[in-house]
Amino acid sequence: MKVTINGAPHDLPDGATVSQAVQTLTTAATGIAVAVNEEVVARGAWTSTALAESDRVEVLTAVQGG
Amino acid sequence: MADELIIAGEKFSSRLIMGTGGAPSLEVLDQALVASGTQLTTVAMRRLDPSSQGSVLEVLRRRGIEVLPNTAGCYTAGEAVLTARLAREALGTSWVKLEVISDERTLLPDPIETFDAAERLVADGFTVLPYIGDDPALARRLEQAGCAAVMPLGAPIGSGLGIRNPHNIELIVEAASVPVVLDAGIGTASDAALAMELGCDAVLLATAVTRAQRPDLMAAAMRGAVEAGRQARLAGRIPRRRYAEASSPRVP
């Protein structure tokens, strides 16, 4: 299953969850948030939310700015 | 009685809100934040970079500084609302500095998109602090829409041009019953003092400190300037006169 994670193409097993997508980038448990196709997925739902082909996953954190 | 800044019921003894952009390193930023005495500091939301070392959040947490996520980089209300929701999820705060810019060259805030986003975020339970132009009419409309503060610019972001239209800032202050935070354009300490003398409740700045040759020293200067300007405002300045008025008794 091909998905996009932070703009880069990734191949994940069919039925992979948001949690698995996040783990391709980080093992951090705090200070990050995820949107799939421009919708926020709450942390509590990461392990239960399955991704679909072509989903766009954004994993964000706080950086210096403003 | 303590002269506290109160935004959405939350009290701050410091009236200097800091940004974190532009610092050459987290160490320099850390020293500047400490010297500024700030209790509320902005961060931006960006794609996680697994290779980046250290975290601005770590610095803020260690110093006990409240985090104020912004929506910097957003050009539309939709982008700003999504960014605010991601920030709430990542940082556990419903406060947001709403910033929707119109173009890359001036970074001036887009009033239409900002107002649209403000309405949606207020309805979604956010404490919204919008960054706006020095427009008294828009400031009033945003207050009516439920924003917790209004944050007019002094001049474009990072320009260091100071307060280009002090009269408009005074008009915004006169009409507002939410805090007015002078945001953007501050170049040096006298600009920050002027903002407070004009009646602003706080100043938000970053570049003037983070890109100064000695950020920690400039941060200390800004802290002093904000305090001095606030005191001068509370003290009530003398009226301006066209001619001299002797302060010594007349010679008989």
Side-chain angles (χ1 to χ4, degrees):
Chain A
M1 174 174 72
K2 289 186 174 20
V3 299
T4 308
I5 304 174
N6 282 358
H10 280 258
D11 224 331
L12 294 182
D14 285 354
T17 63
V18 169
S19 184
Q20 284 167 272
V22 172
Q23 279 161 18
T24 64
L25 294 177
T26 181
T27 55
T30 59
I32 56 175
V34 176
V36 176
N37 305 332
E38 283 83 48
E39 288 290 332
V40 177
V41 180
R43 179 180 310 278
W46 286 0
T47 54
S48 57
T49 303
L51 294 171
E53 181 77 25
S54 309
D55 273 353
R56 284 164 286 113
V57 182
E58 293 285 330
V59 184
L60 275 76
T61 191
V63 299
Q64 289 181 57
Chain B
M1 202 179 84
D3 174 38
E4 288 170 318
L5 168 67
I6 303 175
I7 303 175
E10 190 150 338
K11 295 175 180 167
F12 303 92
S13 56
S14 167
R15 291 175 178 272
L16 179 53
I17 304 171
M18 291 291 292
T20 53
S25 71
L26 285 175
E27 289 70 32
V28 170
L29 178 66
D30 182 41
Q31 290 163 12
L33 291 176
V34 170
S36 75
T38 188
Q39 296 170 311
L40 182 64
T41 291
T42 68
V43 296
M45 298 300 296
R46 288 293 178 275
R47 282 174 172 172
L48 180 78
D49 174 4
S51 67
S52 77
Q53 299 287 310
S55 155
V56 65
L57 286 179
E58 199 56 41
V59 172
L60 299 184
R61 204 170 294 134
R62 191 166 63 236
R63 298 301 183 183
I65 298 170
E66 299 275 343
V67 62
L68 176 61
N70 67 29
T71 61
C74 292
Y75 285 84
T76 66
E79 288 168 12
V81 168
L82 176 59
T83 302
R85 287 178 177 152
L86 284 163
R88 179 168 64 182
E89 176 71 15
L91 308 177
T93 175
S94 59
W95 285 41
V96 63
K97 172 184 164 177
L98 175 61
E99 178 178 340
V100 190
I101 54 172
S102 60
D103 68 275
E104 192 66 38
R105 194 169 64 87
T106 67
L107 301 179
L108 287 170
D110 182 315
I112 311 295
E113 297 295 324
T114 301
F115 188 81
D116 182 9
E119 283 190 316
R120 288 156 68 175
L121 289 169
V122 167
D124 198 10
F126 281 88
T127 296
V128 182
L129 293 78
Y131 164 63
I132 57 171
D134 53 11
D135 178 350
L138 178 61
R140 204 160 52 238
R141 290 291 297 270
L142 284 163
E143 178 181 339
Q144 288 163 357
C147 290
V150 289
M151 307 210 295
L153 55 72
I157 292 170
S159 69
L161 288 172
I163 300 174
R164 304 311 291 171
N165 195 339
H167 181 63
N168 271 24
I169 299 298
E170 281 184 314
L171 290 177
I172 292 171
V173 166
E174 270 175 36
S177 49
V178 293
V180 177
V181 181
L182 196 289
D183 184 1
I186 299 289
T188 188
S190 53
D191 299 330
L194 175 61
M196 300 306 290
E197 288 169 9
L198 292 172
C200 293
D201 297 278
V203 170
L204 196 166
L205 60 88
T207 312
V209 162
T210 57
R211 298 216 163 103
Q213 290 184 23
R214 291 182 54 189
D216 58 336
L217 189 55
M218 187 59 90
M222 292 300 183
R223 176 184 194 160
V226 167
E227 287 172 4
R230 175 67 180 173
Q231 286 171 346
R233 172 72 181 189
L234 294 177
R237 60 152 299 149
I238 59 165
R240 290 177 174 84
R241 301 172 62 95
R242 188 168 177 81
Y243 298 108
E245 184 184 45
S247 56
S248 309
R250 278 169 178 273
V251 178

